[in-house]
Amino acid sequence: MVPGSTTLLDRPWPAPIAALITQQIAEPAEEARLRATIPRLTPIEDQISRAVQQQYAENPYPHWVRMPLMEPSTLDDHLGALFPHVPFRKLGKSAADILIAGCGTGQQALDAANLYAAARLLAIDLSGPSLAFAKRKARELGLTNIEFAQADILGLDALARTFDAIEAMGVLHHLADPWAGWKVLLARLAPGGVMRIGLYSELGRQDIVKARKLVAERGYGATATDIRRARQELIAIAADQHLLFVRDSWDFFSISECRDLLFHVQEHRMTLPQIKAFVVAENLAFLGFELVEPLWLAYGARFPDDPTRTDLDNWHRFETENPRSFEGMYQFWVQKPVD
């Protein structure tokens, strides 16, 4: 923050300028105060975790302004609506305990806090600035059923607490060992609990892989200047290099989001056979993917003998035939057995 800039808060301004000053000065100042109120649950010792923490301290992701508020529901009702043809074991709880692992700047966590209004949520992340942003937004939205803490997923074995549901969307593939991190989270999931997972697809992310390779070969670093230079080059060659998806990606157009997209310090990509092997090994029930309707319909037409749409072998065949099916990431739910 520019020295002396807070004095601008003491003067009257026209509404558009006042809104800009609030965003650029008042809100960051509030976040700086809130950081001191956020507890640390685990040490952050893993080398990759520290590198990821540094990235998101420098570039909290994403910066967002508004989010749509939904009608409150329960986990059972929400899952029933998502997967009406899948027999899952109901939790039978309105006041569920939920962990949001890798909450970033809080968009997903606050969405869950609003949706599961009767639940109790704990949202954790490596990045102090990201957590402070999330806590400020929770106060702004009047959400009181969520707590924030700084923690490394890999250190959660020391946490003497279990949860009815855990969401880990877009965090496991940034760990040194995503499968080890997933196992740590499973140990914190209560018997019969459900887990929402997001993982990058090897097939769906090939354009990103190509762009990341080009960025590395050109020697661009993760500075704002280099990110801007890399974007200009990618815009110029996108059509020739078949990188239109990268150029048109929502994350391409801001520094923090482009750094997450193309300059991340740690990225793993998975395949459905790998995910199936883990699900089987851990004796988990695969409840289904979160997908847009056209993809659901296309899969149903291709595999009409799988009415629950949960056959991961079929999904692998479908994705092989349609590599852009999971170009964002795999997003799915699993359930832990009771015994």
Side-chain angles (χ1 to χ4, degrees), residues 115-284:
L115 177 62
Y116 311 122
R120 298 175 294 268
L121 285 82
L122 171 65
I124 63 169
D125 199 82
L126 294 167
S127 166
S130 296
L131 287 163
F133 184 99
K135 187 167 183 176
R136 177 179 65 78
K137 296 299 284 187
R139 290 186 171 189
E140 179 183 302
L141 293 168
L143 296 172
T144 59
N145 60 332
I146 184 167
E147 301 175 83
F148 297 92
Q150 192 171 25
D152 187 349
I153 287 172
L154 298 177
L156 289 180
D157 279 335
L159 185 65
R161 182 176 175 184
T162 59
F163 299 88
D164 302 302
I166 296 176
E167 295 194 11
M169 301 293 292
V171 62
L172 293 178
H173 44 234
H174 294 317
L175 298 179
D177 184 343
W179 311 108
W182 195 351
K183 285 186 177 182
V184 171
L185 291 178
L186 282 173
R188 302 272 61 81
L189 187 64
V194 294
M195 185 177 286
R196 184 185 184 212
I197 296 291
L199 296 168
Y200 285 149
S201 161
E202 184 68 65
L203 284 172
R205 207 162 167 84
Q206 284 308 296
D207 286 356
I208 304 298
V209 171
K210 188 175 182 180
R212 283 173 61 92
K213 181 179 179 183
L214 186 148
V215 162
E217 289 173 348
R218 297 289 201 275
Y220 292 121
T223 64
T225 298
D226 271 10
I227 290 171
R228 292 189 179 102
R229 290 174 56 224
R231 284 193 309 199
Q232 291 304 310
E233 180 171 355
L234 288 168
I235 288 170
I237 68 173
D240 291 339
Q241 297 295 321
H242 305 289
L243 294 173
L244 292 175
F245 168 71
V246 176
R247 185 201 66 184
D248 296 339
S249 168
W250 183 270
D251 285 349
F252 190 73
F253 297 98
S254 78
I255 296 298
S256 291
E257 292 180 343
C258 191
R259 183 175 181 183
D260 185 86
L261 182 72
L262 300 179
F263 295 82
H264 206 288
V265 296
Q266 179 69 62
E267 176 179 309
H268 294 278
R269 296 168 300 279
M270 285 69 175
T271 67
L272 288 176
Q274 288 176 316
I275 292 171
K276 179 186 176 181
F278 184 91
V279 167
V280 171
E282 298 299 322
N283 196 27
L284 303 174

Side-chain angles (χ1 to χ4, degrees), residues 8-9 29 97 99 105 107 113 117 121 127 132 173 176 178 186 191 198 219 238 248 254 274 311-312 318 325:
L8 296 174
L9 298 171
D97 286 307
L99 172 67
T105 53
Q107 210 167 16
L121 285 82
S127 166
H173 44 234
L186 282 173
D248 296 339
S254 78
Q274 288 176 316
D311 187 320
L312 288 174
F318 182 87
S325 298

Side-chain angles (χ1 to χ4, degrees), residues 66-147:
R66 301 179 187 88
M67 57 174 275
L69 299 179
M70 297 180 291
E71 284 295 319
S73 183
T74 65
L75 269 166
D76 287 342
D77 289 343
H78 182 62
L79 288 172
L82 278 177
F83 311 118
H85 304 297
V86 178
F88 66 94
R89 187 184 184 95
K90 291 188 175 183
L91 299 175
K93 292 183 176 182
S94 58
D97 286 307
I98 301 174
L99 172 67
I100 310 295
C103 70
T105 53
Q107 210 167 16
Q108 168 208 345
L110 301 188
D111 187 52
N114 170 66
L115 177 62
Y116 311 122
R120 298 175 294 268
L121 285 82
L122 171 65
I124 63 169
D125 199 82
L126 294 167
S127 166
S130 296
L131 287 163
F133 184 99
K135 187 167 183 176
R136 177 179 65 78
K137 296 299 284 187
R139 290 186 171 189
E140 179 183 302
L141 293 168
L143 296 172
T144 59
N145 60 332
I146 184 167
E147 301 175 83

